[in-house]
Amino acid sequence: MCGIIGYVGAQDAVPIIVDGLKKLEYRGYDSAGIAVYANDGFSVAKQEGRLNALETRLEEQPLFGHLGIGHTRWATHGEPSDVNSHPHIGSQNKIAIVHNGIIENYKQLKEYLERRGVSFASQTDSEVIAQLAEYYHRGNILDTVIKVTGRLEGSFALGIMCLDEPETLIAVKKDNPLIVGVSEHGNFIASDVPAILKHTNKVYYLNDKEITILRKDGVRFFDFDKEELQKTPETITWSFDSAEKGGYPHFMLKEIMEQPKIMRDTINNTSASVREAMNELDITQFNKIVITACGSAYNAGFVAKYVFERLCRFPVEVELASEFRYKDPIVDERTLVILVSQSGETADTIAAMREAKARGAHTLSIVNVVGSAIAKESDICFYTAAGPEIAVATTKAFSAQLVVLYILAIEFALRLGKLTADDSDKLTAEIALLPDKVETLLSQVDTIQKYAASCVGYKSIFFIGRNIDYAIAMEGSLKLKEISYIHSEAYAGGELKHGTISLIEEETLVVAIANCERLYPKIISNVEQVISRGAKVLLLSNFENAEQNDHQSHILLPPTVDLFSPSLSVIVLQLFSYYVAANKGADIDKPRNLAKSVTVE
Ligand code: F6R
C-alpha cells in the first residue's frame, strides 16, 4: 500500500518528507517521489526502486521548500517506473497530488479529459486526479477539491498542492488512511503515525469524506459540503516500533485484522476484470484446469478445486508447483493452468508456469505483487488487492486469493452454462457479504485468544474436515506449525481410521471444521472417535446447536454457503495459530528457517 507524507511549515520540507517516507517503508513500495513548492513552481524528484535511489538523486539535484508532498508507491495501475511514480502534476503544472487508493472510474474520467484535449503522461489511475483538478480549478483550491472528489469513484487519500495557494497543503480522505499531525514548527499529513512521530505526537484522525487545509500556523477541517468541522487532536503514546505496526504487536496480527478491507477491495477490483478477461477467453476450448502453487497458495488452490468442480462440473487438478515441474505433466493447449502466488516470484511456481507454457497450456495467474515475474509472464493475470504483506506467514493475501478464485469459478460456471444468471447473482451477493462476516469473527478475538492460550502445551495438534472443510484444514495446520513450531497434520475426517487415529492420545488437540451440512453427522462421528481416545476437540462450525462440554469447545462461525465457508474458518484458524505462537513467545513475523519470498528451488 502506498505511503503519503506532506509538510508545510518553517523548516525545510525535503528532509522531513524523506525521513517520513523511510518510516512508511514497512508498507511496501516499488518507487518513491517528492514534490516541493519553490521559486513559483513545483520541483519534483521521482524514482523507481528503493528510497536510497531517491536520496541519491536528491543529493545530486537537491530540492528545497517549505511546502511539500512525498509518496511511496505500491503499483496497482501501471508498472513500477519513474513516470508512474507520484507525485503527479497536471499538464498545466498547476496542481500536484499524491494518492493512496484506487480510482475505479479512472478510465471514464481519463477519456472525458482526453476528449477535451488533456494529455496524460502516466498509466496510473492517480494522474486523473491531478488532471481533473486542473480542469476544474477556478482559483479556490477547496472548491476544486470538493468538485473533484464528487467525480471520483473508489478509495483515496490525497495530498494536494496548488500554485495559486503556495502556503497551503490540502488533503482528503475516503476509504484509505490519512492523519494530520500538528507541531510547533509546522503541520503534517501522513498515511500513518510513524511518519511524523519524530516531530509530534498530536494527531487528528480524519474520517471518511473529510478535507483538511493545513498552513504553517493552523489546520482546518471541512466536509464534502464545505461545512467547517471541529475536531480534537489525540496524543499518541506508541513507540516507533509498535506504531509501524499500527499499534499491533506483530505485522501478522495487523494483516489478519486488515482482511475485511482487503477482501472488499479485491472483490471490487476483480469482478469487472474477470468478466472482461473472460470475454476474451473461450473457456470451452479447455478440457481441464490445473491449479499449481506452493504452500498456502497451494491450499487456496485446493479450496478452489472444490468450488470449481462443484459449480462448473469440470475436472480440476491441484499440483504442488515443485512437483508439477518435474512430473512430465499432462497438459497441452486444451489445459488452463492457474498459478496462485502472493509474491509472484516463487521459483517453483515460475518454473511450473514456464513448463506449462512450453507444453502449449494457457496460463492464468492470481498474484499480489504488481509487475512480478508470474504477473508479467502469464497470459492473464488477476491481482489480489491485499497490499504489501510483511509477516512471513500469509494471511490477507490468502483471503484475497480465495475471493478471486470464487469469482472466477462463478464466471466459468456461468459461461459453461452450469449456473443460471440468477444463481450466479445469489452467489456473488454471498461473496459480497463475506467481509462483514469476517469483521464479526474478528470482533471475537478475545475468545479465540483465551482458548489459544490454553493450547500452548499440546505436543501435536491435528486438523480435520471433510470436503471443502478438509481443504481449509490444510491451511490451518500449515499456519500453526510454521509459526508456533507445534507438530501438526491435517486429515480428511474419513481417513483417520486408516492410520492417523493411532496417534490420538491424551496430549492431542483436534481442531475439527464442520460447515458442510450434508457431511455434518459424518465429521461429528469422527469427533466422537477422537474424544473417546482422549483427545480434546475445538469445533469450528456454523451449526448453532453444536455441543460444548469438557472435551469439546465450539466456535460458532457466521452462516454462509458451504463453498465460501473457508473464508470464515480461516480467520479463526489464523487467530488461533497467532495466539498459540504468541503465547509461546515465538518470533511470529519471521519464523525460523522461512523466507517471505522463496526465489530459490
Ligand atoms: C505460508 C506461506 C507460504 C507461501 C508460499 C508461496 O504462510 O506464506 O507457504 O504461501 O511460500 O508463496 P507465494 O504465494 O509468494 O508464491
Side-chain angles (χ1 to χ4, degrees):
M1 264 173 293
C2 308
I4 288 177
I5 170 144
Y7 174 74
V8 56
Q11 298 190 357
D12 182 5
V14 177
I16 291 176
I17 290 173
V18 171
D19 181 68
L21 291 178
K22 282 188 192 156
K23 300 291 185 313
L24 295 173
E25 271 187 298
Y26 75 89
R27 298 166 71 85
Y29 67 103
D30 44 52
S31 48
I34 175 169
V36 288
Y37 172 81
N39 306 324
D40 301 330
F42 295 127
S43 308
V44 186
K46 310 204 288 189
Q47 191 75 45
E48 184 192 342
R50 311 307 293 170
L51 263 176
N52 50 19
L54 179 67
E55 282 185 284
T56 309
R57 186 155 162 188
L58 287 169
E59 275 162 26
E60 287 159 11
Q61 297 158 23
L63 307 181
F64 301 98
H66 295 280
L67 167 67
I69 48 181
H71 189 265
T72 44
R73 173 171 188 252
W74 171 264
T76 57
H77 295 69
E79 297 289 306
S81 67
D82 292 356
V83 73
N84 286 336
S85 311
H86 298 216
H88 289 286
I89 300 182
S91 28
Q92 301 166 38
N93 280 321
K94 210 165 189 173
I95 293 181
I97 66 111
V98 284
H99 169 221
N100 176 12
I102 291 172
I103 304 303
E104 285 158 15
N105 61 336
Y106 84 99
K107 275 192 188 145
Q108 295 93 302
L109 293 172
K110 191 169 176 177
E111 280 162 20
Y112 171 86
L113 290 166
E114 279 172 340
R115 280 197 301 273
R116 283 154 182 82
V118 177
S119 52
F120 281 72
S122 75
Q123 299 132 15
T124 63
D125 56 334
S126 308
E127 186 186 346
V128 85
I129 304 168
Q131 301 287 14
L132 198 62
E134 286 193 347
Y135 179 74
Y136 282 141
H137 188 58
R138 297 289 175 272
N140 179 306
I141 188 65
L142 178 57
D143 289 342
T144 303
V145 168
I146 290 173
K147 190 134 191 207
V148 168
T149 50
R151 293 218 50 193
L152 300 180
E153 287 168 22
S155 59
F156 45 87
L158 298 171
I160 303 164
M161 300 190 294
C162 173
L163 284 196
D164 288 342
E165 299 188 36
E167 295 187 354
T168 303
L169 173 60
I170 188 158
V172 193
K173 169 182 159 42
K174 184 183 163 267
D175 294 333
N176 272 98
L178 201 68
I179 57 156
V180 171
V182 288
S183 83
E184 300 273 291
H185 62 80
N187 298 315
F188 307 79
I189 55 163
S191 300
D192 206 351
V193 173
I196 58 169
L197 208 49
K198 194 167 165 184
H199 304 276
T200 181
N201 63 353
K202 289 272 175 291
V203 165
Y204 293 92
Y205 286 92
L206 290 187
N207 295 320
D208 277 341
K209 299 192 176 176
E210 286 184 357
I211 302 172
T212 174
I213 291 189
L214 298 90
R215 298 200 175 90
K216 187 172 124 188
D217 49 5
V219 183
R220 296 172 72 190
F221 300 95
F222 296 88
D223 66 15
F224 279 12
D225 295 321
K226 214 179 168 181
E227 289 294 321
E228 184 145 12
L229 307 168
Q230 298 309 319
K231 290 176 78 78
T232 318
E234 289 181 32
T235 304
I236 301 296
T237 52
W238 302 337
S239 67
F240 267 118
D241 186 42
S242 66
E244 282 187 5
K245 294 168 190 151
Y248 290 103
H250 297 100
F251 282 110
M252 183 176 173
L253 187 57
K254 177 171 185 265
E255 288 162 4
I256 289 173
M257 294 298 174
E258 282 170 5
Q259 290 178 107
K261 178 178 184 326
I262 67 92
M263 287 169 78
R264 269 183 210 114
D265 288 350
T266 303
I267 293 165
N268 289 340
N269 273 4
T270 310
S271 306
S273 53
V274 163
R275 224 168 298 127
E276 239 171 66
M278 289 306 124
N279 286 337
E280 308 287 307
L281 184 72
D282 173 18
I283 56 168
T284 57
Q285 68 183 295
F286 302 120
N287 59 14
K288 77 170 171 182
I289 294 175
V290 176
I291 304 177
T292 183
C294 302
S296 290
Y298 169 86
N299 293 339
F302 193 29
V303 170
K305 173 181 166 70
Y306 286 94
V307 182
F308 271 88
E309 289 193 339
R310 181 100 66 85
L311 295 181
C312 304
R313 309 305 304 148
F314 199 82
V316 177
E317 293 166 13
V318 195
E319 299 272 6
L320 292 166
S322 52
E323 289 294 313
F324 177 87
R325 59 187 293 192
Y326 294 121
K327 72 181 277 243
D328 193 7
I330 306 174
V331 297
D332 57 23
E333 50 292 325
R334 300 207 59 202
T335 316
L336 177 67
V337 173
I338 300 181
L339 306 134
V340 186
S341 176
Q342 187 284 129
S343 62
E345 298 291 350
T346 299
D348 286 322
T349 315
I350 293 175
M353 171 182 67
R354 290 180 182 157
E355 181 67 34
K357 288 188 90 158
R359 288 168 189 259
H362 208 84
T363 52
L364 181 158
S365 66
I366 297 169
V367 172
N368 195 40
V369 177
V370 173
S372 55
I374 296 173
K376 278 190 190 143
E377 282 184 46
S378 53
D379 298 316
I380 303 175
C381 173
F382 298 116
Y383 285 115
T384 44
E389 198 176 54
I390 293 167
V392 164
T394 184
T395 51
K396 59 178 182 168
F398 179 84
S399 286
Q401 287 160 357
L402 286 187
V403 292
V404 175
L405 287 159
Y406 301 156
I407 291 168
L408 209 51
I410 292 173
E411 195 62 31
F412 268 50
L414 197 59
R415 284 170 196 259
L416 289 168
K418 303 290 180 191
L419 205 59
T420 62
D422 205 32
D423 286 340
S424 145
D425 288 349
K426 282 188 195 138
L427 289 171
T428 304
E430 199 58 44
I431 293 173
L433 294 176
L434 288 173
D436 287 352
K437 295 180 182 180
V438 168
E439 231 152 44
T440 308
L441 274 173
L442 290 172
S443 70
Q444 292 175 38
V445 61
D446 290 352
T447 317
I448 300 162
Q449 180 175 10
K450 218 153 129 205
Y451 184 83
S454 70
C455 297
V456 177
Y458 285 112
K459 300 221 167 16
S460 242
I461 301 184
F462 291 87
F463 290 76
I464 61 169
R466 285 170 176 257
N467 199 269
I468 202 155
D469 288 328
Y470 165 46
I472 202 63
M474 301 269 290
E475 176 59 8
S477 171
L478 174 59
K479 209 88 301 169
L480 179 83
K481 62 190 145 204
E482 71 177 317
I483 61 168
S484 75
Y485 316 142
I486 293 179
H487 168 254
S488 169
E489 308 279 350
Y491 286 101
E495 270 296 291
L496 283 178
K497 57 187 173 298
H498 299 290
T500 325
I501 203 156
S502 63
L503 293 170
I504 304 291
E505 52 181 351
E506 297 289 326
E507 290 299 303
T508 317
L509 175 68
V510 176
V511 179
I513 306 162
N515 294 307
C516 302
E517 192 170 2
R518 83 199 148 89
L519 294 170
Y520 188 73
K522 305 277 176 206
I523 192 79
I524 292 303
S525 88
N526 297 139
V527 163
E528 279 158 11
Q529 287 158 12
V530 295
I531 287 179
S532 65
R533 284 158 180 85
K536 286 271 191 288
V537 168
L538 170 63
L539 181 68
L540 311 187
S541 168
N542 54 27
F543 290 91
E544 282 182 19
N545 299 331
E547 237 179 84
Q548 295 234 60
N549 52 44
D550 286 352
H551 308 287
Q552 179 173 313
S553 306
H554 174 212
I555 293 181
L556 180 65
L557 302 176
T560 185
V561 293
D562 58 356
L563 287 179
F564 305 148
S565 66
S567 288
L568 303 178
S569 306
V570 80
I571 303 299
V572 180
L573 296 169
Q574 293 166 351
L575 285 170
F576 173 71
S577 301
Y578 172 81
Y579 282 113
V580 170
N583 278 287
K584 288 190 76 185
D587 187 0
I588 294 182
D589 285 337
K590 295 193 189 81
R592 69 184 177 213
N593 307 335
L594 292 175
K596 183 69 188 159
S597 183
V598 187
T599 52
V600 290
E601 219 186 317

